[in-house]
Amino acid sequence: MPAAAGIGPPAVLNTCAAPTPTGVQCTIGTPISSSSSSPSTTPPSTCRVTYTTQSQWATGFLARVTVHNDGTAPVHGWAVRFTFPGDQRITKLWNGTHDQSGAAVTVTHVGWNQLIPPSGSTWFGMYGASTASQPPPTTFTLNNAPCTA
């Protein structure tokens, strides 16, 4: 027999933090009252990305991207994702490998820099081409978790 409306166990809220190298931490079973709304706060970021344009000319640029691990656990293997706001395309990248589809870019580690220790950082550099303005990207993720820029 189906339960009547409003009768039965309360709905629960399962909240999860951003993925980490060791998995995802979740809080399971927080009751949700019918008059409450989902929390809108996000956990603090454990990564920070610094994008520095080192040189720029009419048809290209040279940039360095530093990825900081501000968390307490090491990051084993990493992928940084960002989107160029202009028509930039990477022509050469070092200290990583890259894949670019339109403005969307993914840069992944190479063998010698796959580990970012707690309070540590790694970096990659790039040459790029552009036919228009070259504003830097402003939003980054590390292994799909948002980073501060």
Side-chain angles (χ1 to χ4, degrees):
M1 172 161 98
I7 300 191
V12 294
L13 173 64
N14 299 329
T15 56
C16 298
T20 66
T22 57
V24 176
Q25 294 181 340
C26 297
T27 303
I28 299 174
T30 305
I32 302 173
S33 72
S34 60
S35 62
S36 71
S37 61
S38 298
S40 62
T41 58
T42 56
S45 178
T46 59
C47 60
R48 184 171 30 97
V49 174
T50 306
Y51 182 101
T52 305
T53 302
Q54 296 182 315
S55 185
Q56 187 168 308
W57 52 96
T59 59
F61 62 96
L62 168 64
R64 178 182 171 131
V65 180
T66 304
V67 183
H68 305 270
N69 177 3
D70 294 334
T72 58
V75 175
H76 294 279
W78 54 266
V80 172
R81 290 181 175 81
F82 59 91
T83 301
F84 281 120
D87 72 339
Q88 300 101 316
R89 73 181 193 296
I90 296 172
T91 57
K92 182 174 177 123
L93 186 126
W94 52 96
N95 286 345
T97 60
H98 77 285
D99 180 45
Q100 184 170 358
S101 177
V105 176
T106 301
V107 178
T108 55
H109 70 274
V110 287
W112 61 85
N113 67 356
Q114 64 184 334
L115 176 70
I116 309 173
S119 301
S121 64
T122 192
W123 66 275
F124 56 90
M126 70 183 92
Y127 279 113
S130 177
T131 60
S133 67
Q134 302 166 10
T138 57
T139 304
F140 298 87
T141 64
L142 173 62
N143 295 345
N144 296 319
C147 295
T148 57

